[in-house]
Amino acid sequence: MITGDPRIRMNEIRTTLTADEMPRRWYNILPDLPEPLAPPLHPGTKKPIDAKMLEPVFPKGLIAQEMSPERYIDIPSEVLEAYLLVNRPSPLQRAKRLEAALKTPAKIYFKREDLSPAGSHKTNTSLAQAYYNMKEGVENLSTETGAGQWGTALSFACNYFGLGCRVFMVRASYDQKPYRREMMRVYGATVAPSPSDKTEFGRKMLAKDPNHPGSLGIAISEAMESAVKDGNTKYSLGSVLNHVMLHQTIIGQETMLQFKKLDEVPDYMVGCVGGGSNFAGFTFPSIGEQLKKKKTKTEFVAVEPKSVPSLTAGTFEYDFGDTAGMTPLLLMYTLGHDFIPSPIHAGGLRYHGAAPTVSNLVKNKVVKPVAFDQKEVFDAAVMFAKAEGIIPAPETSHAIKAVVELALEAKRKKEKKIIAMNFSGHGLLDLGGYQQYLDGKMT
Ligand SMILES: Cc1ncc(COP(=O)(O)O)c(C=O)c1O
């Protein structure tokens, strides 16, 4: 019998949870942050905004979550059921072959967020957001997408809960990733390359440069303009905001249960950061424990591209979330809202800022940020794919690169460290990037 075979601990290679073991609440880190989160400011008056001001853009249910002081918020049963459809609870897997390839004494675990039909962690919040909008009678959602992962996840969720979906996709990705676009259209969404001729702001950008590669900041401006001007449409954001981080904490809570089953505590928890949502979802439940008990040993490592170094080289100040200056001002690490990143393949990491919650934890030295070049990130991605058979998204590959570095350090120091990473998505629709890498054309 396999389970009784003493040669191998099967559950150490893949630790699973049953559907009944799935957490029933999201964890809100706001009451546990080392210093209170500074309020968002009105873009015009520069005074703190209140809930009413957000109502043209978001449904009341999500606004309440954005500002909630409650440590736990129940997940509605309709959303729990939808989570089963996106393969929650997701397995925690041991990367034994990667350990062997690196000849490291460290143990490496990765949390499988690539198994949702959309291919990433983003459905954890898209389903919740579509649900609360549907409950309040909203008919359409508009959004931006960088790599296309978020747009796919929201298209999927809007289709699930019967809403229309309009996606502004950063032009560089729209051209690089045509199959992402088609996936969104299969789920019934309309997709425009951003900057587009569909909005005033998009037309302004195109007038300056007809071949503008776009940026997440510009696409956010377009999606917000569309939400405010088009009837019964609200706006939806795939990262950065508190309620998005909240929805993603299903990941970290599952991970904690899985490490409990293994009777282990990770020395490192690693995630890539674009706006910060998969990193937050993976780490916040453990960070919350650490902040309350102040004694767990885990170190939290946030990984970003060297070409978009908001956490490692940005300034901590109030800035707009978008390029046009339509969003409230958020206190965060930022490269400036008019920063246009180079068109790297990790489209989801091309954002000028980072979530205020994640920024707060970096500033207070609870989270350590690191940055890597695209080429070394793809080296690590291909090494992982060969070892474990799974082709990672370019965004996820940033976390893999950091894990490889930590595992090699453990080897040098002969330490049996336990390293856990969030495997935020697969790269099956990012093969253009791999092609460039394999053909030796990546710089
Ligand atoms: C697979 C994947 N990982 C990570 C990210 C970065 O976003 P975030 O920092 O919000 O997790 C994205 C964004 O599109 C993504 O698609």
Side-chain angles (χ1 to χ4, degrees):
M1 201 172 81
I2 286 174
T3 48
D5 189 329
R7 289 169 303 176
I8 185 166
R9 278 178 67 197
M10 298 297 259
N11 67 356
E12 197 183 57
I13 297 184
R14 198 180 57 190
T15 310
T16 52
L17 299 172
T18 65
D20 275 333
E21 289 174 305
M22 182 159 67
R24 298 287 198 274
R25 303 179 300 179
W26 292 303
Y27 165 65
N28 176 20
I29 201 167
L30 292 195
D32 295 324
L33 284 174
E35 67 177 308
L37 204 64
L41 305 181
H42 188 279
T45 64
K46 310 275 190 301
K47 298 245 165 67
I49 53 166
D50 59 26
K52 269 255 161 300
M53 294 172 183
L54 293 173
E55 283 176 15
V57 185
F58 295 116
K60 293 190 183 78
L62 293 177
I63 296 170
Q65 291 180 356
E66 187 64 22
M67 300 178 162
S68 174
E70 299 299 324
R71 189 167 277 132
Y72 289 100
I73 293 173
D74 286 339
I75 306 175
S77 53
E78 292 92 333
V79 176
L80 283 171
E81 200 178 313
Y83 277 175
L84 294 176
L85 196 79
V86 296
N87 282 320
R88 301 226 74 85
S90 76
L92 179 73
Q93 208 158 307
R94 173 111 178 254
K96 280 194 98 159
R97 283 172 49 93
L98 180 64
E99 293 166 15
L102 294 166
K103 298 190 176 65
T104 176
K107 282 184 181 177
I108 300 173
Y109 292 97
F110 59 112
K111 175 74 170 156
R112 299 287 307 268
E113 292 302 307
D114 57 309
L115 298 176
S116 83
S120 79
H121 65 292
K122 296 276 178 180
T123 40
N124 298 331
T125 185
S126 68
L127 285 165
Q129 293 191 41
Y131 168 80
Y132 287 105
N133 276 286
M134 177 274 292
K135 283 297 265 189
E136 292 180 30
V138 174
E139 287 170 5
N140 300 293
L141 289 180
S142 75
T143 197
E144 73 292 331
T145 193
Q149 293 269 22
W150 166 243
T152 314
L154 192 68
S155 307
F156 170 87
C158 283
N159 177 59
Y160 184 94
F161 283 114
L163 304 176
C165 186
R166 185 172 312 134
V167 182
F168 292 89
M169 184 172 186
V170 174
R171 183 180 294 271
S173 294
Y174 187 91
D175 295 337
Q176 274 170 3
K177 298 177 186 183
Y179 295 125
R180 273 274 163 220
R181 182 176 78 212
E182 298 315 319
M183 235 177 133
M184 293 184 246
R185 292 191 337 132
V186 167
Y187 292 129
T190 54
V191 189
S194 170
S196 76
D197 59 4
K198 306 274 183 284
T199 66
E200 221 171 282
F201 187 66
R203 287 189 291 273
K204 213 162 100 185
M205 290 289 123
L206 283 177
K208 275 193 208 159
D209 177 3
N211 296 316
H212 203 302
S215 74
L216 265 181
I218 294 172
I220 293 174
S221 303
E222 288 206 272
M224 280 191 67
E225 185 183 326
S226 159
V228 173
K229 287 188 180 162
D230 301 341
N232 210 355
T233 301
K234 296 239 188 259
Y235 169 67
S236 171
L237 187 64
S239 193
V240 180
L241 298 178
N242 302 342
H243 67 269
V244 182
M245 309 291 131
L246 173 83
H247 301 151
Q248 293 294 354
T249 58
I250 185 90
I251 306 173
Q253 292 184 82
E254 286 179 8
T255 306
M256 284 176 81
L257 290 174
Q258 286 160 320
F259 272 111
K260 213 169 187 179
K261 284 193 179 194
L262 289 165
D263 201 18
E264 288 178 353
V265 177
D267 293 290
Y268 300 101
M269 291 184 83
V270 182
C272 64
V273 172
S277 73
N278 87 89
F279 176 80
F282 184 54
T283 59
F284 278 9
S286 300
I287 290 179
E289 288 289 291
Q290 191 174 86
L291 290 172
K292 273 179 279 171
K293 294 188 196 146
K294 300 200 189 309
K295 64 174 184 224
T296 51
K297 60 176 181 176
T298 312
E299 287 179 34
F300 304 96
V301 182
V303 194
E304 60 183 11
K306 267 202 181 141
S307 59
V308 196
S310 47
L311 294 175
T312 48
T315 37
F316 186 72
E317 62 186 15
Y318 269 106
D319 194 10
F320 297 107
D322 68 330
T323 305
M326 291 170 74
T327 70
L329 289 153
L330 303 171
L331 184 59
M332 60 182 176
Y333 282 100
T334 176
L335 298 162
H337 61 277
D338 49 4
F339 176 81
I340 303 287
S342 59
I344 53 168
H345 288 281
L349 306 188
R350 294 174 75 235
Y351 183 62
H352 66 269
T357 43
V358 174
S359 296
N360 181 302
L361 291 164
V362 169
K363 177 170 170 270
N364 285 284
K365 305 208 178 320
V366 179
V367 168
K368 182 183 165 200
V370 294
F372 294 104
D373 276 330
Q374 173 161 264
K375 168 77 170 53
E376 55 184 350
V377 161
F378 270 81
D379 288 339
V382 169
M383 182 182 210
F384 184 92
K386 283 182 171 161
E388 300 298 327
I390 308 160
I391 298 182
E395 292 84 358
T396 311
S397 306
H398 286 71
I400 296 174
K401 170 64 184 165
V403 166
V404 167
E405 290 299 311
L406 289 169
L408 292 176
E409 184 185 88
K411 178 170 149 181
R412 277 194 301 277
K413 296 185 177 169
K414 298 191 172 50
E415 289 176 336
K416 290 186 177 168
K417 295 286 187 187
I418 297 171
I419 306 169
M421 66 164 285
N422 195 35
F423 196 88
S424 59
H426 69 65
L428 295 179
L429 293 169
D430 302 296
L431 293 176
Y434 283 93
Q435 182 181 24
Q436 221 181 62
Y437 172 83
L438 295 169
D439 290 346
K441 292 184 181 147
M442 186 172 278
T443 46

